[in-house]
Amino acid sequence: MRTIPLGGSGYKCSVLGLGCMGMSEFYGPRDDVVSMQTLERAFELGITFYDTSDMYGRGHNEELLGRFIRNKRDKVIISTKFGFKRDPNGADGSTHDRDLDNSPAYISQACDASLKRLGTDYIDIFSAHRYDTTRPIEEVAETVAGLVKAGKVRTIGFSEITGEQLRRASKVHSIAALQNEYSLWHRRPEEDVLPVCRELNVTLVAYSPLGRGFLTGAVQDAKQLAANDVRLTVERFKGDNLDKNLQLVNEVKAIASARDITPGQIALAWLFAQGDNIIPIPGTKRIKYLEENVGAVAVTLTQEELKLIGDIINPAKIAGTAETASQAAGRLAAMTGGSSAGADKLKRI
Ligand SMILES: NC(=O)c1ccc[n+]([C@@H]2O[C@H](COP(=O)([O-])OP(=O)(O)OC[C@H]3O[C@@H](n4cnc5c(N)ncnc54)[C@H](OP(=O)(O)O)[C@@H]3O)[C@@H](O)[C@H]2O)c1
């Protein structure tokens, strides 16, 4: 496993991370025994970057990671996030069950709660899961900088902010990592944040790097997905859109077969080729998928292959939008003052 620096923080981690979200929620049923075996296998294979959030499974995901890191705390980088307040008694997979809170009091409280669930006294990367645009981003950065000073947090991160917001936050405190959706079928970071990350020495953590599993070719039919699978709320996975998009993945499958690799490995190798400051964090609960994804670290695509694959899976050709229903609600909420209740109101309008 290759390692890379984590922004300008002085810490290092594996160039491939493990997204742990699906071990608790959003992509079908959870199985803690299998998840723990997958986590241990990831560690054996050299993965040292583990991504979670307080909201995944309403704390379940952090507790799972807490058990995993108990005997290896100083050998792993734990990336967790704050900002979404959820009803502790809500049903997993429900989409309108979260409110955004970036207030200093809530951030401190969320940090203490994450530390407790993780069973540790420091968080390696503490990120705003979503930035509440009704507050100055400087205030959010300053609050997390206070937690760094207190020794509870090692480095600061953000998720889904713009290049300009990253610049402003970086003036308050160095930012180690920016976590945005980035993959063959979701290229928005290239327009804005990727150049700023390079300039400011911030690692771009690419989430949903396999297009929520679609780019592996494993999702052939929406009927495969559990009733509460979040992908059922994404336009790209619906009806005719899915059928059209599958034709593109099938073209990539043919290229992969010719090289004796998989379409998922192509999706990850394509991301590695976009810069040396990018950490894709494919999510899986299964050892089989994990091992395949780790195999992508050794795959190098030629310039011709990169161009060909980038032309086949090109966002301009993809049918449907990439947002989940809750992401869409969050975006609308940002326009209506911060709460998903506001978003529901706007949607009804
Ligand atoms: N900051 C944010 O707002 C945000 C948003 C979303 C995600 N994230 C983070 O990013 C991580 C990764 O994103 P993601 O999980 O949404 O999407 P992803 O990594 O693109 O895809 C995950 C899905 O792909 C499947 N998969 C993984 N490897 C596979 C393989 N080799 N072959 C076939 N299928 C495979 C998984 O199946 P199984 O589940 O069955 O193993 C899962 O359903 C998450 O775990 C989370 O930590 C962050």
Side-chain angles (χ1 to χ4, degrees):
M1 179 61 66
R2 269 186 290 129
T3 57
I4 61 168
L6 183 61
S9 68
Y11 296 103
K12 280 189 146 195
C13 58
S14 52
V15 71
L16 188 83
L18 179 60
C20 301
M21 178 179 84
M23 293 178 175
S24 295
E25 197 182 354
F26 299 118
Y27 297 142
R30 68 169 77 139
D31 181 332
D32 288 0
V33 174
V34 172
S35 294
M36 197 58 82
Q37 288 165 354
T38 304
L39 286 162
E40 291 295 349
R41 181 69 182 133
F43 187 69
E44 265 172 28
L45 292 171
I47 292 190
T48 54
F49 186 112
Y50 296 85
D51 187 68
T52 182
S53 165
D54 60 357
M55 68 90 83
Y56 300 159
R58 295 180 170 73
H60 171 268
N61 205 242
E62 287 185 329
E63 283 168 3
L64 184 78
L65 272 186
R67 293 201 290 280
F68 163 64
I69 64 175
R70 204 170 290 158
N71 59 354
K72 50 180 89 61
R73 177 65 192 99
D74 58 337
K75 297 181 182 69
V76 292
I77 294 285
I78 295 296
S79 151
T80 195
K81 319 183 197 80
F82 63 86
F84 285 125
K85 278 203 296 205
R86 296 180 86 187
D87 173 1
N89 302 315
D92 285 355
S94 56
T95 50
H96 298 291
D97 65 345
R98 63 201 70 167
D99 278 318
L100 198 54
D101 194 339
N102 281 186
S103 65
Y106 181 71
I107 294 173
S108 295
Q109 185 191 319
C111 178
D112 288 342
S114 287
L115 286 170
K116 194 166 172 215
R117 282 188 292 264
L118 288 162
T120 181
D121 51 8
Y122 65 92
I123 293 164
D124 299 286
I125 312 172
F126 198 41
S127 304
H129 206 148
R130 287 295 177 276
Y131 160 52
D132 174 0
T133 52
T134 61
R135 293 177 174 276
I137 199 159
E138 290 81 358
E139 179 198 277
V140 180
E142 215 168 286
T143 304
V144 187
L147 297 170
V148 174
K149 222 170 170 183
K152 295 181 179 185
V153 166
R154 285 200 161 158
T155 73
I156 304 180
F158 279 89
S159 177
E160 290 294 349
I161 59 169
T162 66
E164 181 51 30
Q165 289 163 346
L166 178 59
R167 269 185 210 290
R168 284 172 46 198
S170 298
K171 286 196 178 129
V172 177
H173 191 284
S174 62
I175 306 299
L178 173 59
Q179 184 172 139
N180 279 20
E181 182 165 0
Y182 188 28
S183 69
L184 268 167
W185 80 347
H186 192 101
R187 311 239 193 121
R188 213 173 298 140
E190 291 169 0
E191 297 158 18
D192 180 29
V193 296
L194 201 46
V196 183
C197 283
R198 282 194 196 107
E199 182 192 321
L200 300 178
N201 194 11
V202 175
T203 296
L204 185 78
V205 178
Y207 83 71
S208 300
L210 299 171
R212 299 184 185 271
F214 177 81
L215 297 170
T216 67
V219 185
Q220 289 285 320
D221 189 329
K223 288 198 195 89
Q224 280 171 241
L225 306 175
N228 65 351
D229 193 305
V230 76
R231 289 169 287 194
L232 293 174
T233 72
V234 176
E235 291 300 322
R236 289 180 173 188
F237 285 89
K238 290 184 186 169
D240 287 352
N241 288 348
L242 182 66
D243 293 342
K244 281 186 197 145
N245 295 334
L246 275 171
Q247 287 172 18
L248 305 178
V249 158
N250 287 338
E251 286 184 51
V252 175
K253 260 188 185 168
I255 299 170
S257 304
R259 278 206 50 183
D260 207 15
I261 54 176
T262 66
Q265 289 176 330
I266 285 197
L268 297 174
W270 180 88
L271 276 170
F272 289 131
Q274 307 311 307
D276 57 8
N277 62 335
I278 297 172
I279 300 182
I281 50 166
T284 185
K285 348 180 227 243
R286 301 160 209 250
I287 289 182
K288 181 176 178 284
Y289 289 170
L290 166 79
E291 289 178 345
E292 181 188 319
N293 299 342
V294 169
V297 176
V299 173
T300 305
L301 300 171
T302 65
Q303 285 306 315
E304 291 74 32
E305 285 169 330
L306 287 166
K307 171 143 187 13
L308 180 62
I309 293 155
D311 285 345
I312 296 170
I313 308 279
N314 187 312
K317 290 192 200 161
I318 300 290
T321 56
E323 282 177 327
T324 63
S326 57
Q327 284 175 331
R331 186 172 45 74
L332 295 172
M335 292 156 56
T336 56
S339 80
S340 27
D344 284 345
K345 211 175 353 171
L346 194 76
K347 273 187 127 183
R348 283 201 294 276
I349 294 165

